[in-house]
Amino acid sequence: MSTATINSWCLTSLFQAQSPQNKATLRPSISARLNSPASPAPPNLIQNKPVFAAPAPIITPTWREDMGNGSYDEAVEGLRKLLREKANLEPVAAAKIDQITAQLKSSDGSSSPFDPVERMKTGFIYFKKEKYDKNPALHAELAKGQSPKFMVFACSDSRVCPSHVLDFQPGDAFVVRNVANMVPAYDKVRYSGVGSAVEYAVLHLKVEHIVVIGHSCCGGIKGLMSFPFDGTSSTDFIEDWVKIGLPAKSKVVAECGDLPFPEQCAYCEKEAVNVSLGNLLSYPFVREGLVKKTLTLKGGYYDFVKGTFELWGLDFGLSPSFSV
């Protein structure tokens, strides 16, 4: 039997029972505790060619000291003067005036249509030039395979990318992101997606640390604290998913029910991390790694409002026990 206790909840896993005997036997008892207290087919292209490709080489614009000194009115007046002198340039000058006006409106902060393809194009060009091309040794090594030290569970929230928050480089972390950074208990049927990620990380990539990271202002946790869970449902997937954290909600309501709702949510954001740490103990290969001391479990919390990060661990060990 393996048992883990985290903040007053107990998780027990039964191994195959042996036939009862009338004598005392010695068997290992597994315990776990927190070592610090808890706190508050791709789409087919219309044309058979890439949407965009990074140019090679990339042309870098130059800047002169006298650029930017003139006003919009001066630029337009210069074009009009040219227009008066050379009447055959009228269409060219008119188009240039329109272009300058559009550029100045954009630089003034006026609304302009968002171009997702252009955004991804410029983003990749920057990555290729500033990161990929400047670190050929790293990417040559990554082409051979990956051996990350970390497996990270983080929220899908666009504000809390763990690679940015913890400055992970490519190859450092095997990352799973979902709503409210939940880790469900071992279940081959319902949560095989998460289970396959944990199995691959622990047994094949041989990660050394699993970190579950919660964060401030989490919409998933707010939903967990708000949904009645009375048999009714207002969502197709969200309620069924976040109820993985119901033990955290129950604890917070019992201990902090008199606090304002935002504060309850803040406590639950951390308690839900502890629930996920407890659920990780239900995976047999995770328990085995903890027993062999080839794996550690850690909880983390990123407060992007205050710009702080907390980290705590899970102590795990074996002690002998008697059964009669």
Side-chain angles (χ1 to χ4, degrees):
M1 175 184 296
S2 62
T3 303
T5 303
I6 298 182
N7 286 355
S8 77
W9 337 301
C10 184
L11 226 132
T12 303
S13 171
L14 297 176
F15 299 99
Q16 183 176 359
Q18 300 178 353
S19 58
Q21 299 179 2
N22 295 325
K23 61 180 181 179
T25 58
L26 181 65
R27 62 181 182 180
S29 173
I30 301 177
S31 62
R33 64 179 178 83
L34 292 170
N35 62 15
S36 65
S39 57
N44 294 324
L45 298 177
I46 297 175
Q47 299 178 355
N48 188 23
K49 61 182 181 180
V51 176
F52 67 86
I58 298 171
I59 300 175
T60 304
T62 58
W63 181 265
R64 301 195 313 268
E65 290 297 328
D66 59 338
M67 291 177 70
N69 293 332
S71 66
Y72 162 69
D73 293 334
E74 292 172 346
V76 171
E77 183 57 35
L79 286 171
R80 285 174 175 163
K81 180 180 178 181
L82 180 63
L83 178 60
R84 289 192 296 269
E85 295 173 352
K86 299 183 180 293
N88 61 327
L89 293 179
E90 181 176 357
V92 177
K96 194 63 178 178
I97 291 173
D98 291 341
Q99 180 184 351
I100 294 174
T101 303
Q103 290 174 345
L104 288 174
K105 284 184 177 180
S106 177
S107 64
D108 287 340
S110 302
S111 60
S112 58
F114 175 70
D115 187 339
V117 174
E118 185 64 24
R119 171 60 185 85
M120 290 186 287
K121 175 182 175 181
T122 56
F124 178 75
I125 291 172
Y126 176 82
F127 163 78
K128 181 72 163 54
K129 180 182 178 182
E130 298 297 329
K131 298 183 179 182
Y132 189 92
D133 290 342
K134 288 185 177 181
N135 203 339
L138 170 64
H139 293 94
E141 192 66 26
L142 293 176
K144 302 175 184 178
Q146 60 172 326
S147 54
K149 298 292 185 182
F150 295 92
M151 179 182 193
V152 175
F153 283 92
C155 186
S156 300
D157 192 303
S158 61
R159 301 166 291 183
V160 295
C161 176
S163 294
H164 284 278
V165 174
L166 300 178
D167 195 30
F168 284 139
Q169 300 305 305
D172 285 349
F174 186 72
V175 180
V176 176
R177 299 183 69 176
N178 58 47
V179 172
N181 43 266
M182 298 280 185
V183 182
Y186 182 90
D187 190 321
K188 287 186 175 181
V189 178
R190 296 193 64 196
Y191 303 117
S192 59
V194 173
S196 64
V198 178
E199 180 181 17
Y200 186 73
V202 175
L203 297 182
H204 298 276
L205 296 179
K206 309 294 184 183
V207 297
E208 299 174 7
H209 312 280
I210 300 180
V211 188
V212 182
I213 304 175
H215 69 92
S216 58
C217 305
C218 181
I221 296 299
K222 183 178 180 180
L224 170 64
M225 294 296 294
S226 303
F227 294 135
F229 298 106
D230 56 2
T232 63
S233 179
S234 59
T235 64
D236 290 334
F237 301 101
I238 299 172
E239 286 162 270
D240 185 60
W241 173 256
V242 299
K243 71 180 182 183
I244 293 169
L246 274 176
K249 176 179 180 176
S250 299
K251 186 174 188 293
V252 170
V253 170
E255 298 181 1
C256 310
D258 56 338
L259 295 179
F261 182 73
E263 293 185 35
Q264 293 184 44
C265 289
Y267 277 104
C268 193
E269 288 163 356
K270 298 180 182 180
E271 288 299 335
V273 170
N274 292 334
V275 169
S276 290
L277 292 175
N279 287 342
L280 280 166
L281 296 175
S282 67
Y283 293 78
F285 32 85
V286 171
R287 291 197 304 269
E288 182 180 3
L290 291 169
V291 171
K292 293 181 178 179
K293 298 188 182 302
T294 59
L295 186 66
T296 70
L297 299 184
K298 300 183 184 298
Y301 183 78
Y302 170 49
D303 188 330
F304 60 78
V305 177
K306 299 178 181 178
T308 59
F309 185 83
E310 300 175 47
L311 188 68
W312 61 93
L314 187 72
D315 288 336
F316 186 91
L318 288 171
S319 62
S321 66
F322 287 96
S323 66
V324 178

